[in-house]
Amino acid sequence: MGFITPNSQIFLMFGNGWIANQMKDILLAQGKNVIMSKARIESREQVLSELTKHKPTRVINAAGTRGTPNADWCEDHKVETVRSNVLGALNVVDVCYQLGIHVTHIGSACIYALSEEEIKHHPPFKETDEPFFQGSWYNRSRLLSELSIRHYPNLLLLRIRLPISADLHKNSHIGRLLKYEKIVDLTGSGTVLPNLLPGALILSENGEKGIYNFVTPGQISNVEIMELAKKYIRPDLKWQTFGLKDMFNTLRAPRANCVMDATKLQKKLGEYGYQIKDRREALEEVFQIMAEKGL
Ligand SMILES: NC(=O)c1ccc[n+]([C@@H]2O[C@H](COP(=O)([O-])OP(=O)(O)OC[C@H]3O[C@@H](n4cnc5c(N)ncnc54)[C@H](OP(=O)(O)O)[C@@H]3O)[C@@H](O)[C@H]2O)c1
C-alpha cells in the first residue's frame, strides 16, 4: 500500500502495527511519501524485493513481536520471537546496509533492569552503558537484536519503553493500566509517543545514526498516571497498589524495570529546534487530548 506525494524523501515502513501506523499518520500529515510494506522481515528475498522495487531513501522497521496478550507469549514461541526480533531486525538492517540505505529500527529499552531498591540509587542508564537484561525470552530477543545490529553505520536505533498514546489503545501503557484494579506501584521510563514520534522522523529524515534512549525525560509513575486519569477522564477511578514482587508472582517471566537517560535525545533534537517535553507536561498533554476526545 503506498501513499505518494511530491517530495524527495521516500519512507518504506516494515510493520503495520500500532507504532508504525502512528508514524505513517505523522508522515502523511507532513505531506511525505510513505510506503507500508507487507514483507515478512525474516525473509531476505521479500525485504530485498521491497527495497529494489520502491527504492526508499529511508527505511523504518517498526515490525516485531511483543507477545500477545503479553510478553509471556514469547516463552512458548521462542522460534517465532527470534525470527521476528533477531533474524528479522538483522535482515532489514543488513539488506539496507548492502544497498546504502538509512534505517531506523524501533527497539526496546527493556534490556536493562534493576531491583526496586537498586533503582532508587542507580543513575539512569545511558546509551554507552552495556545492556545486559535477558530475564525473559522477549528481553533476550531484544538484547540479541541490539547486540547484532548496533555497529551498522546506516542504523538509527531508538529504544522505546512503556509507550503511551493519547487514547486507550491496548498497547498503550495508559490503556493497559486502566484495565487493572490493582496496579504495581512503580516508576520508570516511558515513551510518550505523540511528543516523541515526530522527533523520530526528524532524526530519520536527517540521517542521524547510532543508539538513542527514546524515552520522555523524567520518571513516569504508575500512580501518577492513575491520578491524571482520575483528574481528566475517569473522575470515579479507584485503584489499589501492590509491589513488584507480587506482580512477578502473576507472571511467568520477569520484566525489565529501568530508568533511561534521555539527555542525548534531548540534545540532538534540540539541535533541530525540536524540544521534547518532560514527563509531567507530556502526560498532561495526552490526558488533555483524551478528555477532548471524550474517552
Ligand atoms: N508496545 C510496546 O510496549 C513496545 C515496547 C518496546 C518496544 N516495542 C517494539 O516496537 C515495535 C512496534 O510495536 P507495536 O506496539 O507497534 O506492536 P504491534 O502493534 O504488535 O505491531 C507490530 C507489527 O509488526 C508486525 N510483525 C511482527 N513480526 C513480523 C515479521 N516477522 N515480519 C513482518 N512484520 C512483523 C506485526 O504484524 P503481524 O501481526 O502480522 O505479525 C505488527 O503489524 C515492535 O517491535 C515492538 O516489540 C513495543
Side-chain angles (χ1 to χ4, degrees):
M1 196 182 357
F3 304 86
I4 305 293
T5 56
N7 198 306
S8 56
Q9 210 79 277
I10 298 173
F11 289 83
L12 180 70
M13 185 94 65
F14 291 105
N16 197 1
W18 181 55
I19 291 174
N21 276 287
Q22 292 175 67
M23 295 179 97
K24 179 192 82 180
D25 290 345
I26 296 168
L27 287 166
L28 289 180
Q30 294 173 350
K32 303 277 166 57
N33 303 317
V34 196
I35 296 154
M36 303 297 283
S37 173
K38 288 188 177 152
R40 300 310 291 176
I41 55 171
E42 65 273 27
S43 161
R44 199 164 179 94
E45 295 77 16
Q46 288 182 28
V47 170
L48 186 58
S49 160
E50 290 288 84
L51 295 179
T52 47
K53 180 174 156 198
H54 298 295
K55 300 192 174 25
T57 54
R58 292 289 179 268
V59 166
I60 297 174
N61 181 17
T65 292
R66 308 164 34 255
T68 304
N70 60 44
D72 282 344
W73 177 92
C74 301
E75 302 299 315
D76 295 323
H77 298 84
K78 292 192 168 72
V79 172
E80 293 92 326
T81 304
V82 166
R83 282 172 67 79
S84 289
N85 294 356
V86 185
L87 177 60
L90 181 55
N91 199 29
V92 171
V93 174
D94 188 66
V95 178
C96 287
Y97 170 69
Q98 289 205 309
L99 297 178
I101 301 171
H102 181 277
V103 55
T104 301
H105 178 80
I106 305 298
S108 173
C110 291
I111 48 179
Y112 299 90
L114 295 172
S115 69
E116 266 177 297
E117 198 44 43
E118 287 168 330
I119 211 165
K120 292 179 195 159
H121 313 291
H122 198 285
F125 289 107
K126 292 182 189 291
E127 290 81 354
T128 46
D129 290 321
E130 188 64 21
F132 57 87
F133 184 65
Q134 45 181 319
S136 75
W137 195 256
Y138 173 78
N139 303 120
R140 184 177 289 213
S141 74
R142 288 295 174 197
L143 180 61
L144 285 172
S145 78
E146 176 163 320
L147 297 180
S148 311
I149 64 181
R150 67 180 176 184
H151 295 296
Y152 278 79
N154 57 325
L155 174 71
L156 170 68
L157 197 164
L158 303 178
R159 294 164 162 175
I160 68 168
R161 182 167 191 271
L162 298 184
I164 288 172
S165 55
D167 56 31
L168 296 171
H169 192 281
K170 63 179 175 50
N171 288 13
S172 173
H173 189 51
I174 295 176
R176 287 184 196 169
L177 283 181
L178 288 184
K179 283 195 297 198
Y180 299 120
E181 285 171 9
K182 271 187 166 186
I183 57 148
V184 60
D185 185 4
L186 208 60
T187 58
S189 286
T191 302
V192 181
L193 295 167
N195 180 239
L196 288 184
L197 285 184
L201 298 169
I202 292 170
L203 297 178
S204 162
E205 199 155 22
N206 286 284
E208 290 293 344
K209 292 159 192 155
I211 299 176
Y212 285 84
N213 292 336
F214 200 67
V215 295
T216 296
Q219 296 190 31
I220 293 180
S221 136
N222 286 344
V223 170
E224 183 182 22
I225 289 181
M226 298 303 268
E227 286 167 356
L228 285 168
K230 190 176 174 72
K231 175 178 167 190
Y232 283 104
I233 60 170
R234 295 281 184 280
D236 299 328
L237 188 65
K238 291 188 177 56
W239 66 90
Q240 293 174 297
T241 55
F242 65 140
L244 195 58
K245 275 191 195 138
D246 297 326
M247 184 184 84
F248 282 168
N249 287 338
T250 70
L251 299 169
R252 279 188 62 193
R255 300 293 194 265
N257 183 29
C258 57
V259 179
M260 310 299 290
D261 188 320
T263 312
K264 182 180 172 188
L265 178 69
Q266 233 169 345
K267 189 165 171 284
K268 179 53 71 183
L269 284 172
E271 289 171 17
Y272 292 105
Y274 191 80
Q275 306 303 329
I276 59 177
K277 295 179 178 161
D278 74 7
R279 157 207 126 251
R280 185 70 190 191
E281 197 186 353
L283 284 177
E284 294 259 6
E285 186 180 68
V286 295
F287 277 107
Q288 281 159 7
I289 295 169
M290 282 196 254
E292 280 162 23
K293 288 182 189 165
L295 291 174

